[in-house]
Amino acid sequence: MSHQTHTRHSRDNFKSRWGFILACIGSAVGMGNIWRFPIMVHQFGGLTFLLPYFLFVALIGASGVIEEFSLGRWAGAGPVGAFGKCTATRGSRRAGETIGALPIIGSMMLAIGYTVVLGWIFKYCFMGISGSLFALGTDMAGIGGAFGATAPEAETLGGALRMMVDGGLVGVGNALWQLVALVVSLGIMGMGVAGGIERANKIMMPVLFVLFIGLGVYIFTLDGAAAGYRYIFTLRPAGLARPEVWIYAFGQAFFSLSVAGNGSVIYGSYLSKEEDIPGSARNVAVFDTLAALLAALVILPSMAVMLGEGINEVSGGPGLMFVYLVNVFNGMPGGRIVGMVFFICVLFAGVSSIVNLYEAPVAFLQEKCGLRRIAAVTAIGAAGGIVSILIQPWTSQWMDLVSIYICPLGALLAGVMFFWVLDKETALDAVREGAKRPLGGWFYPLGKYVYCVLALLALVAGAVYGGIG
């Protein structure tokens, strides 16, 4: 008991409400907002996709996001401690702690895959600043070849490991930039929750929004941009009858809001009892959605300007950001500046997300092993760096494994712990504490019977469709 009390009192915390909100927005604003959301909007018909997407954002923000923040704050711990405290109310702490290991594993695995992606981003950001990205011109073969050398591919994990070992680990792919990205991210984490994570997000998130708005305004002035806005704001009512529109809109909202039983729980554990969790959850949902819309308002009009009807041939994913958009930006007036600013925005989004992903396993080592923060960050960073370098050619499959199976299961488990294992009054008290307004009677049944079912749906639909977010 004395050790737990010491850990609880010495625990670092967010120092301001907006510091917490900006950190949570940073965790939610990730690659899905940039390389997937705009293509989903285009593919499924603009407002035809956006209307169900907005509905699911509101639903998940008002249930799952509130639940995970509240669970972490109530327990004062990450998933292992929080799940253990839930099951302790039913007589067995160990059962919850064992189950809580799954979101930690998922967070670590997702962070490892993200480390590879962040290495690509750091390299392309440097290329944008130095001018070497613009020097690639609009030669798609050259642009594609540059990314192919940065992100080699192998069909199997065994093949990926052989490729990396045969190449001397750092001789294949993008290992050096990965290490740079990791050191920067770990440096932020090493300075603590308030001194590092909160302070960094107070800088990165406002700058990201300002730069994206600036890009959007510039793109608006270009001839041909209007076609891109038509892609975004067109409504095709018949499309709302397609099940795929609703499934992919749900998947995009679910993964964009970062409900996975780890990041939101651990950030919630650093939150003071005076903070208004429902209000914070609402702000996170609103600003994450704004970031996604800003990305769409930059990317789709840009592609309409430069590609015309060729936009219909473009798919999402890394190829969109590192190949097609490089070609698009390089071919437009002011393309060197546009490409540079765009990848700076992407870098801020990537760093803020990966810090959140690594935070859950770092906090676990602090809570359960008694490590000081620097030691925990170093240990997790060393493991993440080694594995991320080894799996580079298998990154896509690695990320699919985590996002399709582990993340939705983590979100489901967190929801079950909060709404089904905890008694109703304890759960509601955890949400009400610090709330500025009375919590509506809709919250508990919405979370218990709708959100938990949706988290299960995310797991099942992801397996059936090969990923929905």
Side-chain angles (χ1 to χ4, degrees):
M1 179 64 74
S2 62
H3 173 70
Q4 289 179 345
T5 302
H6 172 73
T7 301
R8 173 73 173 166
H9 284 296
S10 61
R11 190 178 182 81
D12 198 359
N13 292 301
F14 290 106
K15 299 303 181 187
S16 69
R17 178 170 182 257
W18 273 102
F20 166 72
I21 291 171
L22 288 171
C24 293
I25 293 169
S27 73
V29 176
M31 295 308 98
N33 296 75
I34 298 169
W35 72 32
R36 183 177 174 87
F37 178 80
I39 295 301
M40 291 290 101
V41 171
H42 171 253
Q43 180 178 340
F44 290 111
L47 285 174
T48 314
F49 177 84
L50 288 174
L51 292 178
Y53 174 77
F54 293 151
L55 173 65
F56 285 121
V57 165
L59 192 156
I60 295 166
S63 55
V65 177
I66 292 176
E67 163 257 306
E68 293 199 0
F69 287 165
S70 301
L71 178 60
R73 185 175 68 174
W74 170 76
V80 171
F83 288 16
K85 190 172 180 180
C86 287
T87 57
T89 65
R90 304 280 181 169
S92 174
R93 178 180 293 272
R94 184 179 296 274
E97 290 182 341
T98 301
I99 295 170
L102 183 71
I104 296 292
I105 293 169
S107 186
M108 183 67 182
M109 290 183 66
L110 197 57
I112 287 169
Y114 234 90
T115 301
V116 179
V117 175
L118 193 59
W120 303 341
I121 295 168
F122 264 77
K123 178 178 180 178
Y124 274 66
C125 188
F126 173 79
M127 290 172 66
I129 294 170
S130 68
S132 57
L133 191 65
F134 185 69
L136 292 173
T138 56
D139 174 18
M140 284 293 286
I143 296 171
F147 182 61
T150 300
E153 295 183 353
E155 293 185 2
T156 66
L157 179 58
L161 296 176
R162 284 192 297 273
M163 183 186 299
M164 295 308 301
V165 172
D166 290 345
L169 298 184
V170 295
V172 177
N174 195 44
L176 294 178
W177 279 109
Q178 272 180 234
L179 294 177
V180 171
L182 191 58
V183 168
V184 171
S185 304
L186 297 178
I188 292 171
M189 297 178 68
M191 290 186 285
V193 175
I197 297 173
E198 180 175 353
R199 184 177 296 174
N201 278 285
K202 280 184 172 180
I203 297 170
M204 291 191 295
M205 288 303 100
V207 172
L208 181 149
F209 276 91
V210 169
L211 291 178
F212 254 139
I213 290 171
L215 285 178
V217 170
Y218 174 71
I219 299 301
F220 177 78
T221 66
L222 300 180
D223 291 337
Y229 302 122
R230 283 195 293 273
Y231 286 125
I232 299 171
F233 296 112
T234 297
L235 175 63
R236 301 170 187 148
L240 293 173
R242 295 177 58 194
E244 291 84 0
V245 171
W246 292 85
I247 289 171
Y248 283 103
F250 162 66
Q252 185 67 33
F254 184 86
F255 287 98
S256 183
L257 289 175
S258 294
V259 282
N262 50 58
S264 297
V265 173
I266 193 63
Y267 273 10
S269 74
Y270 299 137
L271 193 58
S272 79
K273 300 294 186 181
E274 288 73 37
E275 293 302 332
D276 176 10
I277 283 180
S280 296
R282 180 177 60 252
N283 283 317
V284 170
V286 167
F287 281 99
D288 176 65
T289 303
L290 284 176
L293 288 172
L294 284 172
L297 288 168
V298 168
I299 291 171
L300 290 178
S302 296
M303 295 172 69
V305 168
M306 301 307 300
L307 301 180
E309 290 301 315
I311 189 175
N312 297 310
E313 307 301 320
V314 180
S315 60
L320 169 67
M321 193 160 73
F322 297 102
V323 178
Y324 282 103
L325 285 180
V326 172
N327 173 57
V328 165
F329 294 149
N330 284 353
M332 67 171 51
R336 176 173 176 174
I337 301 300
V338 172
M340 178 185 71
V341 172
F342 176 80
F343 278 103
I344 290 173
C345 291
V346 175
L347 186 145
F348 286 165
V351 169
S352 59
S353 294
I354 202 171
V355 163
N356 176 261
L357 292 171
Y358 273 124
E359 182 61 24
V362 164
F364 169 77
L365 290 187
Q366 289 183 274
E367 293 168 5
K368 291 300 175 183
C369 303
L371 295 184
R372 293 184 179 276
R373 184 168 188 84
I374 294 296
V377 168
T378 301
I380 291 298
I386 292 169
V387 178
S388 67
I389 288 173
L390 288 171
I391 60 101
Q392 280 187 88
W394 205 65
T395 301
S396 177
Q397 298 94 319
W398 177 281
M399 296 290 273
D400 284 346
L401 174 66
V402 181
S403 62
I404 292 173
Y405 301 104
I406 300 180
C407 288
L409 183 56
L412 174 61
L413 291 173
V416 168
M417 288 293 169
F418 190 81
F419 290 110
W420 292 88
V421 176
L422 274 187
D423 66 85
K424 180 178 179 179
E425 283 309 308
T426 300
L428 289 176
D429 286 344
V431 180
R432 290 172 181 147
E433 191 168 20
K436 300 295 187 292
R437 299 177 182 176
L439 189 66
W442 49 265
F443 169 73
Y444 195 78
L446 178 70
K448 187 169 186 175
Y449 300 110
V450 178
Y451 172 72
C452 288
V453 170
L454 287 176
L456 178 61
L457 174 64
L459 179 62
V460 175
V464 171
Y465 284 86
I468 60 171

